[in-house]
Amino acid sequence: MKGIITVLGKDHVGIIGSVCTYLAQSDVNILDISQTIVDGYFNMMMIVDLSTTQKGFSILADELEEVGKQSGVIIKIQHEDIFNSMHRI
């Protein structure tokens, strides 16, 4: 199962590090990552493999939200199929 993680907020040192550290500690593999900074605002999207983690999806979502709060950014995760359905034209 794959997930889509989005990270949004004011750019500062350590955002990518805090997210990647949490994912590594949770046995979540990063398959693809894209990030941009526009006028001082950080935007990152990650595609992750959730098949190796022992944590439930709602636990991951809650913990990622907390990582975001500690880092001063907003972090959300969605199942890949829900993300694709929401963005289908």
Side-chain angles (χ1 to χ4, degrees):
M1 172 174 50
K2 292 180 186 174
I4 308 294
I5 296 173
T6 56
V7 182
L8 303 167
K10 196 84 165 136
D11 186 38
H12 64 280
V13 173
I15 298 171
I16 295 172
S18 63
V19 176
C20 291
T21 297
Y22 169 79
L23 293 174
Q25 291 171 345
S26 300
D27 295 321
V28 174
N29 188 36
I30 299 168
L31 302 173
D32 199 356
I33 183 171
S34 171
Q35 65 98 36
T36 58
I37 300 168
V38 177
D39 198 24
Y41 289 94
F42 180 85
N43 180 11
M44 178 169 65
M45 186 171 102
M46 307 171 103
I47 301 172
V48 296
D49 180 0
L50 303 172
S51 65
T52 54
T53 186
Q54 298 298 311
K55 295 183 178 184
F57 188 84
S58 62
I59 299 292
L60 285 171
D62 291 344
E63 290 180 352
L64 280 166
E65 186 175 337
E66 185 59 33
V67 169
K69 285 179 184 175
Q70 293 172 5
S71 298
V73 295
I74 298 168
I75 303 177
K76 299 291 182 189
I77 185 170
Q78 295 177 315
H79 287 285
E80 180 186 40
D81 54 349
I82 293 172
F83 182 87
N84 287 336
S85 295
M86 289 176 53
H87 295 90
R88 188 175 305 151
I89 297 176

